[in-house]
Amino acid sequence: MPKTYNKLWSQITDWDNLFNAFLSAQKEKRYKSEILKFSARVEENITNIQNHLIWESWLPSQYKEFMVYDPKRRLIHAPVFEDRVVHHALVHVISPLLEKKFIFDSYACRQGKGFHKAVSRVQTFLRKASSNGNKERIYVLKADISKYFPSIDHGMLVEILSRSIRDRKTMQLCESIIKNSGFDGAGIPVGALTSQLFANVYLDQLDHYMKDELGVRFYCRYMDDFIVVHNSKRELWSLLGKVAIFLTERLRLTLNPKTSIFPAVRGVDFCGYRVWRNYILPRKRIIRHARRDLARLAGLCSNGMIPLETVKQRIMSFLGYMKHCNGHITTKHILTETIIRREQK
């Protein structure tokens, strides 16, 4: 019998929890106008949120919409700041409980995980699979969910959450956030903290199907992207068929048509890197973008249009990415090009 949790509401609506949620929600954004306005009367605003939650009269406001273009074009739906405080307060309480049910090899939006560890884990799988037999006969199933966040079914998500959360008021809050986010029946907003947790909970069903029911050994997931490493291509094709049926029938999801099975010697493109058994390389697209971006910033700096500090910050970001892979020569070339461009007058 799966473990369930009750008596959570008093923890969520506790004033200290709401204040800590406010501190979390404002991190790295404290000078934005809506946050400054909220902070100016923080005790009054938190008390107001607390009262609406206790009276069960809280409803989310309309989400703000905007586009981002890095690494690809995406429409973001972000809750207003007051609602973000509620989201953080909820996640502070229920996330540690739901985390206990997650498998080890789920890496997105989890403390102590992240995409660098996911990449390292895939490399470990490649090495372990090579020790099982012929090193040339290692195959990879690389898959992701088609339009994942817009496809998450509201009713199914609420049902999955209710298997762990038995507190009526807490479930009502979850359901209110899910069903009042501007999507009709399916879809959760990219840009909300609760969405990250709910999306992980939703695909945790796939994780346990893979590990518990199918006994897949070398399986790793980062949000809606997942990797399976195996010594048999035939076994991977069989597995892919089972996964496609499970996703359709149990979660109302479909696989991206780009899902593929290929020899591991080609390298595994995952979480921003290309992974082999003995080395990791940067993704070519990221290198092209970094080279163009640094050249542009260096040119602007040399003409006095932006400060040197802006270029340094972009360089540090690039170095942070490159330190996790085997790209020392590439790094040296790009930094040399940037210095030359910066010194040109």
Side-chain angles (χ1 to χ4, degrees):
M1 187 73 178
K3 186 173 178 59
T4 59
Y5 301 95
N6 210 333
K7 300 181 180 179
L8 304 175
W9 191 240
S10 60
Q11 299 176 48
I12 294 169
T13 58
D14 178 77
W15 204 92
D16 288 339
N17 181 54
L18 289 168
F19 183 75
N20 288 329
F22 155 71
L23 295 177
S24 298
Q26 63 142 13
K27 278 183 180 177
E28 300 179 3
K29 301 174 182 177
R30 65 183 63 186
Y31 298 114
K32 289 192 173 183
S33 58
E34 65 171 339
I35 300 177
L36 289 172
K37 183 178 178 181
F38 187 97
S39 302
R41 306 174 69 175
V42 62
E43 292 187 3
E44 178 182 336
N45 287 325
I46 290 177
T47 300
N48 184 54
I49 291 173
Q50 182 186 44
N51 287 336
H52 278 293
L53 289 172
I54 292 173
W55 298 334
E56 299 182 53
S57 59
W58 181 85
L59 283 175
S61 300
Q62 185 174 353
Y63 283 63
K64 297 177 292 183
E65 295 184 4
F66 56 93
M67 284 288 185
V68 297
Y69 297 89
D70 188 18
K72 59 185 179 181
R73 185 175 182 268
R74 290 185 300 163
L75 178 62
I76 302 297
H77 296 81
V80 299
F81 183 71
E82 290 87 346
D83 290 358
R84 290 210 302 272
V85 172
V86 176
H87 289 206
H88 278 264
L90 174 63
V91 169
H92 282 180
V93 173
I94 68 172
S95 180
L97 308 177
L98 297 171
E99 274 271 346
K100 295 177 182 179
K101 301 190 175 186
F102 292 167
I103 67 167
F104 180 84
D105 285 315
S106 167
Y107 287 89
C109 307
R110 297 179 63 190
Q111 190 171 3
K113 299 288 184 176
F115 60 87
H116 290 130
K117 290 195 174 181
V119 168
S120 177
R121 187 63 166 167
V122 168
Q123 186 176 55
T124 298
F125 288 165
L126 294 172
R127 289 173 176 169
K128 288 184 175 180
S130 69
S131 67
N132 290 346
N134 190 331
K135 294 180 181 180
E136 300 302 318
R137 299 190 62 183
I138 306 170
Y139 299 94
V140 177
L141 164 60
K142 182 178 184 293
D144 66 88
I145 310 299
S146 178
K147 299 177 181 178
Y148 178 49
F149 275 70
S151 301
I152 293 175
D153 183 88
H154 291 176
M156 185 66 68
L157 175 56
V158 170
E159 180 187 331
I160 291 170
L161 287 169
S162 67
R163 296 172 193 167
S164 298
I165 300 171
R166 292 298 185 187
D167 186 295
R168 179 186 63 83
K169 293 181 180 180
T170 301
M171 275 307 305
Q172 283 181 340
L173 178 59
C174 291
E175 193 166 351
S176 178
I177 290 171
I178 292 166
K179 295 187 175 181
N180 291 283
S181 56
F183 297 86
D184 186 16
I188 58 176
V190 177
L193 181 67
T194 48
S195 294
Q196 297 174 8
L197 177 60
F198 293 159
N200 253 343
V201 169
Y202 204 75
L203 275 187
D204 181 59
Q205 314 306 300
L206 172 64
D207 297 342
H208 284 283
Y209 175 68
M210 287 286 211
K211 303 298 289 186
D212 302 340
E213 296 188 37
L214 300 181
V216 178
R217 184 181 178 193
F218 300 136
Y219 167 78
C220 174
R221 179 175 66 82
Y222 188 91
M223 196 49 75
D224 62 318
D225 295 308
F226 59 93
I227 297 289
V228 179
V229 178
H230 204 283
N231 294 101
S232 169
K233 184 189 290 187
R234 180 179 296 179
E235 288 293 330
L236 285 180
W237 279 113
S238 175
L239 176 67
L240 179 57
K242 294 174 184 176
V243 168
I245 292 171
F246 175 87
L247 289 171
T248 301
E249 294 184 351
R250 301 270 289 273
L251 296 177
R252 299 169 190 169
L253 300 173
T254 57
L255 288 169
N256 191 313
K258 294 182 180 180
T259 294
S260 60
I261 295 172
F262 54 89
V265 292
R266 283 173 39 186
V268 183
D269 192 339
F270 188 57
C271 290
Y273 296 91
R274 294 177 292 150
V275 190
W276 283 265
R277 184 169 60 90
N278 292 322
Y279 56 94
I280 298 171
L281 295 181
R283 184 178 279 173
K284 292 180 181 179
R285 177 173 55 81
I286 293 178
I287 293 300
R288 288 196 299 269
H289 176 75
R291 178 174 268 120
R292 288 196 302 266
D293 194 35
L294 284 171
R296 179 182 62 83
L297 292 176
L300 292 172
C301 183
S302 67
N303 292 324
M305 300 176 68
I306 61 171
L308 180 60
E309 188 62 28
T310 301
V311 183
K312 288 181 178 178
Q313 289 173 358
R314 181 64 180 88
I315 289 174
M316 293 308 296
S317 174
F318 174 66
L319 292 177
Y321 167 77
M322 293 298 292
K323 74 178 182 179
H324 294 280
C325 62
N326 306 96
H328 307 296
I329 295 176
T330 300
T331 301
K332 183 178 178 179
H333 285 169
I334 291 179
L335 291 181
T336 301
E337 292 170 5
T338 303
I339 292 170
I340 293 172
R341 182 66 65 93
R342 163 68 180 86
E343 292 177 347
Q344 289 177 344
K345 298 291 185 180

